[in-house]
Amino acid sequence: MNNRVVVSLMAVLFGLLAGALLMAVTGHNPITGYSYLFEGGLKNPERIGNTLATATPLIFSGLSVAFAFRTGLFNIGVAGQLLFGGFCASAVGLSLDLPKAPLLTLMLIAGFLGGALWAFVPGLLKAKFNVHEVVSSIMMNWIAYWTIYYAVPAYLKGEFLETESKPLPEAASLKVPFLTEMFDGSYINLGLFVAILIVIIVAFIINKTTFGYELKAVGHNRHAAEYAGIAVNRSIVLSMAISGGLAGIGGVALYAGNASNIQIGILPSQGFDGIAVALLGANTPVGVLLSALFFGLLYSGRGFMNAMTDIPPEIADSIIAIIIYFSATSILIERLVRWLIRRKANVKSSTSHEGEVK
């Protein structure tokens, strides 16, 4: 089995064990807690649909972070890119009177371009002036926050509240009746299918194209890539822009799928959760998909666990935090795995040697 898969599985296992320990220390039954946690996300079609819907924006934010990671960049501005991409898509959805298919297509394009624009600035600053992308992308988060804080009441104000935009019309919503009915009223939407398609496309770009190879080469060693004739600055800017575009589509899934409008004063937490999703998914597209589904299950089920027991929802947050910790310190887990493999090999070798002597 691939070492990265082992590390991710061990991170999840350690997180769940630590959560069980927390429950036991606080006087709660871990088996009861986990049974309700997983029931909350998987008990019936509606809960399964809600888990998948919760995971959908996380797939995009995780892909965004992972794409930047694979090219040596740390895009911590995913929250702002989600927000601005969702805002651009909402503006298109509220402004154009078109049938559902072309309107959703234009909204996805607008979301991608909005997120790409918001990440282009940190990419350009990194390429031209070596400004660290962590600093510049964090600043772009707050620029997005205040831009939307002003723009929604000024141009897209809801009928009754100034703190949220007008609701999107049915033609601009990713929700479709057949999915809603299939999952018994869940808020699952077409964003999930878009996410799966994007996972396939990103995996192909990274692993099967010259462009993807150049991006990875820049991430591994910028100076060696430059010596080999790769346009490093262009790769940095394009990598950040594509990363932001992926987050922007996630904004469309969030605000036109899971919700139907934008509320001001909220920076979407899914943008920061994408870092955890990418780490647990070992920065691979398929890993991000599976990781996002797992986090979606935890987020969807913790409310049910809290409702059915007196276990506080912070326990679930602690489990997530511990999983992130072990994912981030994966080098330690890799060393543990290698030590266990070597120890097992040494035991076999010594046993075989003793048998030969006898």
Side-chain angles (χ1 to χ4, degrees), residues 92-233:
V92 170
L94 291 169
S95 302
L96 300 180
D97 184 14
L98 294 171
K100 194 177 188 73
L103 183 56
L104 288 178
T105 302
L106 290 175
M107 289 173 65
L108 290 170
I109 293 172
F112 180 88
L113 293 176
L117 172 65
W118 227 246
F120 172 81
V121 175
L124 185 64
L125 292 173
K126 172 75 172 181
K128 294 295 184 183
F129 306 106
N130 203 29
V131 176
H132 203 293
E133 68 276 7
V134 168
V135 176
S136 55
S137 59
I138 287 175
M139 294 301 100
M140 292 300 290
N141 278 343
W142 293 105
I143 294 172
Y145 175 92
W146 290 112
T147 298
I148 272 63
Y149 197 94
Y150 164 77
V152 166
Y155 301 105
L156 304 177
K157 183 172 74 71
E159 185 177 353
F160 302 107
L161 290 174
E162 290 195 1
T163 57
E164 61 183 35
S165 66
K166 290 182 285 189
L168 290 168
E170 191 278 332
S173 174
L174 287 168
K175 297 186 183 74
V176 287
F178 83 90
L179 276 177
T180 304
E181 293 168 6
M182 185 185 301
F183 289 90
D184 294 347
S186 160
Y187 57 92
I188 189 174
N189 56 80
L190 293 174
L192 176 64
F193 299 97
V194 177
I196 294 171
L197 177 63
I198 296 296
V199 165
I200 296 170
I201 293 172
V202 170
F204 178 79
I205 290 173
I206 289 176
N207 299 315
K208 301 294 183 181
T209 66
T210 303
F211 175 62
Y213 175 81
E214 290 180 352
L215 292 180
K216 287 188 290 185
V218 172
H220 285 303
N221 192 318
R222 176 176 179 174
H223 300 294
E226 192 169 17
Y227 182 78
I230 296 173
V232 171
N233 288 345

Side-chain angles (χ1 to χ4, degrees), residues 317-330:
D317 294 331
S318 298
I319 295 169
I320 293 169
I322 293 166
I323 290 171
I324 295 168
Y325 174 79
F326 283 115
S327 299
T329 57
S330 57

